Amino acid sequence: MDNILKQSRLSVGLSLEVAARKLSIPAGYLSQIENGHRQVSADRAEDIAQLYGKKKEEIFLPTRYAIREVLTTHGA
């Protein structure tokens, strides 16, 4: 079965190396994301989707990217 991330990248004519460079990440890291060996932050997932001309939800399952809640304390 073909990988939707890889297919999305190829559909916009980007090699792994070029896509990784545009995302400012190593090609090996992008390969791990494509192969399901690495989760990504919601922001990184958004960056990848934007580069591929897709919505994040079209190419990532919610369980594939981490959503982190940042708690802040307000000083008195």
Side-chain angles (χ1 to χ4, degrees):
M1 177 194 252
D2 287 325
N3 181 309
I4 193 163
L5 279 173
K6 182 176 181 179
Q7 289 301 323
S8 296
R9 174 176 54 76
L10 294 174
S11 74
V12 294
L14 294 174
S15 69
L16 185 69
E17 293 78 12
V18 170
R21 192 171 345 144
K22 288 179 178 282
L23 293 164
S24 301
I25 60 175
Y29 182 69
L30 182 55
S31 177
Q32 289 176 337
I33 294 169
E34 284 187 355
N35 291 313
H37 297 288
R38 204 173 275 262
Q39 287 191 327
V40 294
S41 69
D43 289 339
R44 175 74 70 204
E46 186 66 42
D47 292 342
I48 293 169
Q50 203 168 49
L51 179 63
Y52 297 171
K54 303 278 187 182
K55 291 183 180 178
K56 175 175 59 177
E57 296 79 17
E58 291 179 289
I59 59 175
F60 286 98
L61 295 174
T63 56
R64 285 290 314 278
Y65 55 85
I67 299 174
R68 295 187 185 107
E69 184 175 330
V70 178
L71 300 176
T72 59
T73 56
H74 298 284

